Amino acid sequence: MADKDLRFSLGIHAAKSLPALRDKVKRYEDLGFDALHLPDHLGAPAPFPVLTAIASATSRVRLGTYVLNAGFYKPALLARDAGEVDQLSGGRLDLGLGAGYVREEFEAAELPYPTARERVDYLQHVTVYMKKHLPTVPILIAGNGNRLLTIAAQHADIIGLTGASSGDAADPLAERVDFVRNAAGERFADLELNLAITAVPSGDSEQPDLALTRRFVDLSDEQLLALPSVLAGSPRGIADTLLGYREKYGLTSFTFQENHVDTIAKVIAEVR
């Protein structure tokens, strides 16, 4: 995988108006980002209408979800909506799927909140349906647990990793990559391994803002700075770190947050 080009994705939020949305996504495309992703939460913009608007304002950048809560959708209806976005975008959709985890959102949607096992089972059901009915649309599955990563390794095209491990591995990210490799078998060489980045420096600082990362893990600042998902240094230094991730772990795809855009645009310029 060391010879694969790096791909840079950006998780974005919808703008308050269509002209503002069109302006910013065109800017992100011009800066060199490879994909723009939307989340899927109640209270956030509906992904598919916004992705359709983004498609009309861009020509190259891929469009995706990071990630849809599979429990919100019946497979046939999801395939219909995703297929339309893929067609209207000229085949640029990457369909990101997850098992869902926020009980309050299920309750607000008047849906039962299944057990963790049931949610992962349903994710597999939806994924298999999508692969059959939308065979040309790449599937991204993001997560960390063994069962979810097994499903991802066996069915998805892009694996979203968190860099965490449920055990005491000396290198948790390497342990998760090895797990995916063993679960994927012969498919592994064709998989794209993605890492979601939660912190990067901004402005002239070379130290990252750790506020977002703290929302996910309860660690000291020193421990947070050691996470693979936390990047520090100059744009050239960050570029070297990502190239090192490619060499060491086979990671070739990285997803950033919208407030990272100016820093990562400089990183993209360093590697291309």
Side-chain angles (χ1 to χ4, degrees):
M1 293 187 184
D3 59 344
K4 289 185 178 180
D5 291 338
L6 299 187
R7 289 216 314 143
F8 294 84
S9 302
L10 193 65
I12 69 169
H13 304 283
K16 294 182 178 180
S17 69
L18 181 59
L21 177 67
R22 292 174 62 89
D23 286 346
K24 77 171 184 175
V25 298
K26 187 64 174 70
R27 173 177 176 253
Y28 298 159
E29 182 177 57
D30 291 343
L31 287 172
F33 284 92
D34 299 288
L36 303 178
H37 290 154
L38 287 170
D40 183 27
H41 292 289
L42 290 183
F48 289 138
V50 178
L51 289 175
T52 303
I54 293 172
S56 70
T58 57
S59 60
R60 175 194 59 81
V61 70
R62 295 193 65 80
L63 320 170
T65 52
Y66 202 112
V67 289
L68 291 183
N69 178 351
F72 283 176
Y73 302 90
K74 294 297 184 183
L77 301 179
L78 177 57
R80 178 194 63 181
D81 291 355
E84 285 297 315
V85 173
D86 189 56
Q87 181 175 354
L88 291 172
S89 67
R92 289 188 280 147
L93 179 66
D94 294 334
L95 184 62
L97 299 172
Y101 62 94
V102 183
R103 176 189 290 271
E104 292 77 10
E105 292 190 0
F106 280 84
E107 293 172 348
E110 300 183 8
L111 294 169
Y113 185 64
T115 66
R117 174 171 287 276
E118 289 169 338
R119 297 197 305 276
V120 173
D121 286 345
Y122 190 71
L123 170 64
Q124 180 174 14
H125 170 62
V126 172
T127 302
V128 170
Y129 189 98
M130 295 302 122
K131 295 297 291 185
K132 179 179 179 180
H133 292 271
L134 297 176
T136 64
V137 174
I139 299 293
L140 179 154
I141 293 180
N144 183 59
N146 287 354
R147 290 190 66 240
L148 188 144
L149 284 180
T150 298
I151 292 167
Q154 293 174 350
H155 300 288
D157 305 285
I158 307 167
I159 314 295
L161 297 164
T162 66
S165 174
S166 56
D168 297 322
D171 187 336
L173 182 54
E175 187 275 333
R176 291 289 80 185
V177 171
D178 286 342
F179 183 91
V180 171
R181 179 184 291 107
N182 292 332
E186 293 181 356
R187 298 187 76 240
F188 184 75
D190 296 324
L191 297 180
E192 178 179 304
L193 301 184
N194 169 275
L195 181 66
I197 303 298
T198 59
V200 304
S202 61
D204 295 328
S205 173
E206 294 190 1
Q207 294 303 309
D209 179 357
L210 299 173
L212 177 62
T213 313
R214 286 195 187 98
R215 291 169 51 186
F216 298 104
V217 288
D218 183 18
L219 299 172
S220 68
D221 283 5
E222 183 179 5
Q223 291 170 316
L224 292 175
L225 288 168
L227 293 174
S229 60
V230 173
L231 301 177
S234 66
R236 181 65 252 172
I238 292 174
D240 289 340
T241 296
L242 299 181
L243 292 168
Y245 286 174
R246 181 179 67 179
E247 183 69 26
K248 183 175 182 179
Y249 303 111
L251 296 171
T252 59
S253 173
F254 301 93
T255 297
F256 299 88
Q257 309 304 310
E258 193 164 15
N259 61 312
H260 300 162
V261 62
D262 292 330
T263 297
I264 301 307
K266 297 174 184 176
V267 176
I268 292 172
E270 290 285 347
V271 298
R272 293 185 177 158

